[in-house]
C-alpha cells in the first residue's frame, strides 16, 4: 500500500473529495477520464466487484491497517491518503462515509439494448432528478427482481455520491443504461416489452390486475418527482397503472411507489 499522510485540509490531494463538483467529476468534455466517489466499505467493495478501477483512497489513518486493509489489498499500488479524524471531519457529511472514500474511474456506459437482453422486468425512470430517490429506487430494484434500470438523460446520475450511498452500492448490482432519444417507448416495443405507466388516473388499471402479470416482458415506467410522467409518455404506453390509495392520500413518493410496483409486477 502506498500510504500518504495528509495534515492540511487544503492539500491538493483532497480536491477530488472536497472541492470538485459532481459535474467536474463526470468530466463531460472527456468522459473516459470521468470519476465518481464511492463512500463506505460496502459501496467501495461492490464497486470493485463490478470491475470499477480505483484512482485513490481517502480514509482515517486508523482504517488503513484496520477495516480498510482487505479492500486496499485488492487494489495494488493505488495511493491511499490518510488523515486524522479532525482533518477529515471538515468534509461535509464525512461521518456518513464510515471513514472511507475512494475515487474511481467511471465505467464505460452500457447500451440499453445490451442491458435489456434476456430481461423480463425493467424499470424506466423518466427525469427522476433527486439522487436520494434514485438511490432508493436502485435498492428496491435489486431487492425485488428488476432485471435492468433505464434512465432518460435529463434525470440524476446513478453514480452521484448521494445516489450511490442511498442505494448501498446496489447501482453496481442492477444493470442500467440511458434510453435513446425521445422515442424510447418505440424502442422498448421493438424489443418486445409492453409498457406500464405508473399514473393516478381514473382510467388506470389497478396494479393487481392479472393482465400485467401475464405479460412476458414488462417495462414499469415511473416519472419525475412532483409532476410525474409526461402526458405524452402516458399516451404512448400500453397500460396506465395505479396503486390504490386510502385515507385521502393522493400519491406516493416515487421511490416508495417503485417498491410497491416492483414487488407486485415481478410476481410469477
Amino acid at each position: 500500500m502506498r500510504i500518504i499522510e495528509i495534515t492540511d485540509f487544503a492539500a491538493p490531494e483532497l480536491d477530488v473529495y472536497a472541492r470538485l463538483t459532481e459535474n467536474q467529476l463526470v468530466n463531460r468534455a472527456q468522459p473516459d477520464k470521468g470519476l465518481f466517489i464511492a463512500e463506505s466499505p460496502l459501496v467501495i467493495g461492490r464497486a470493485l466487484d463490478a470491475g470499477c478501477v480505483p484512482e485513490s483512497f481517502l480514509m482515517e489513518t486508523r482504517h488503513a491497517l484496520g477495516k480498510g486493509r482487505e479492500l486496499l489489498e485488492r487494489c495494488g499500488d493505488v495511493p491511499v491518503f490518510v488523515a486524522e479524524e479532525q482533518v477529515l471531519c471538515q468534509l461535509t457529511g464525512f461521518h456518513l462515509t464510515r471513514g472511507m472514500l475512494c475515487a474511481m474511474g467511471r465505467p464505460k456506459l452500457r447500451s440499453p439494448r445490451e442491458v435489456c437482453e434476456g430481461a423480463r422486468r425493467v424499470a424506466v425512470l423518466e427525469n427522476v432528478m433527486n439522487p436520494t430517490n434514485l438511490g432508493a429506487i436502485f435498492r428496491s430494484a435489486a431487492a425485488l427482481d428488476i432485471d435492468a434500470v433505464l434512465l432518460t438523460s435529463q434525470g440524476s446520475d446513478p453514480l452521484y455520491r448521494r445516489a450511490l450511498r442511498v442505494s448501498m452500492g446496489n447501482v453496481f448490482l442492477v444493470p442500467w443504461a440511458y434510453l435513446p432519444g425521445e422515442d424510447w417507448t418505440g424502442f422498448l416495443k421493438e424489443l418486445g416489452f409492453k409498457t406500464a405507466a405508473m399514473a393516478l388516473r381514473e382510467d388506470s388499471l389497478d396494479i393487481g390486475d392479472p393482465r400485467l402479470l401475464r405479460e412476458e416482458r414488462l417495462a414499469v415506467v415511473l416519472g419525475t418527482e412532483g409532476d410525474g410522467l409526461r402526458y405524452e409518455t402516458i399516451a404512448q404506453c400500453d397500460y396506465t397503472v395505479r396503486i390504490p390509495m386510502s385515507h385521502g392520500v393522493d400519491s406516493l413518493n416515487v421511490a416508495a411507489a417503485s417498491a410497491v410496483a416492483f414487488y407486485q409486477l415481478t410476481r410469477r
Side-chain angles (χ1 to χ4, degrees):
M1 292 179 283
R2 184 149 52 104
I3 296 178
I4 303 164
E5 185 177 3
I6 302 293
T7 58
D8 183 359
F9 185 71
E13 293 90 343
L14 295 188
D15 284 351
V16 68
Y17 299 102
R19 286 175 281 277
L20 294 187
T21 66
E22 297 279 10
N23 284 335
Q24 287 171 319
L25 288 171
V26 171
N27 197 351
R28 299 185 189 282
Q30 295 179 285
D32 59 325
K33 295 185 178 179
L35 298 173
F36 69 92
I37 305 296
E39 306 181 349
S40 83
L42 173 64
V43 175
I44 295 168
R46 285 183 169 169
L48 292 173
D49 291 343
C52 297
V53 179
E55 298 270 332
S56 67
F57 284 86
L58 175 66
M59 64 185 65
E60 292 180 50
T61 305
R62 63 191 176 95
H63 292 329
L65 298 176
K67 69 178 183 180
R69 185 181 183 90
E70 184 177 344
L71 289 174
L72 297 178
E73 287 176 344
R74 298 175 59 181
C75 300
D77 195 35
V78 173
V80 181
F81 302 114
V82 300
E84 295 304 315
E85 184 179 20
Q86 61 267 28
V87 175
L88 295 180
C89 279
Q90 296 176 67
L91 285 167
T92 301
F94 178 74
H95 283 298
L96 296 174
T97 70
R98 302 295 187 268
M100 192 181 308
L101 301 97
C102 182
M104 293 182 154
R106 293 179 67 89
K108 183 179 179 181
L109 284 174
R110 301 173 70 178
S111 74
R113 191 175 296 274
E114 178 188 359
V115 303
C116 287
E117 186 175 353
R120 179 177 176 269
R121 294 290 186 264
V122 301
V124 176
L125 308 184
E126 183 182 74
N127 304 345
V128 174
M129 302 298 296
N130 186 299
T132 298
N133 284 334
L134 189 65
I137 292 169
F138 266 93
R139 187 173 178 182
S140 293
L144 300 170
D145 290 327
I146 292 296
D147 300 309
V149 175
L150 302 169
L151 308 103
T152 58
S153 59
Q154 296 90 342
S156 186
D157 182 351
L159 297 182
Y160 276 179
R161 289 171 72 162
R162 184 179 293 274
L164 273 177
R165 182 169 68 239
V166 173
S167 83
M168 296 186 69
N170 285 299
V171 163
F172 303 112
L173 300 183
V174 182
W176 56 273
Y178 286 103
L179 286 159
E182 292 294 321
D183 185 27
W184 50 262
T185 54
F187 169 77
L188 289 171
K189 290 175 184 179
E190 176 192 331
L191 295 183
F193 284 94
K194 290 295 181 70
T195 47
M198 300 301 300
L200 290 169
R201 300 199 338 180
E202 291 300 322
D203 59 348
S204 299
L205 289 181
D206 186 291
I207 196 169
D209 192 296
R211 284 173 286 182
L212 299 169
L213 290 180
R214 287 198 294 264
E215 293 293 353
E216 185 60 29
R217 307 188 91 189
L218 186 68
V220 183
V221 186
L222 296 141
T224 187
E225 300 84 355
D227 293 335
L229 291 169
R230 297 180 306 131
Y231 175 81
E232 295 83 1
T233 298
I234 296 171
Q236 290 166 4
C237 286
D238 298 294
Y239 300 105
T240 307
V241 180
R242 71 181 183 277
I243 299 170
M245 302 285 165
S246 60
H247 294 98
V249 176
D250 60 355
S251 65
L252 294 176
N253 166 275
V254 65
S258 75
V260 175
F262 298 165
Y263 174 78
Q264 175 63 30
L265 298 176
T266 57
R267 296 168 64 194
R268 294 180 185 268

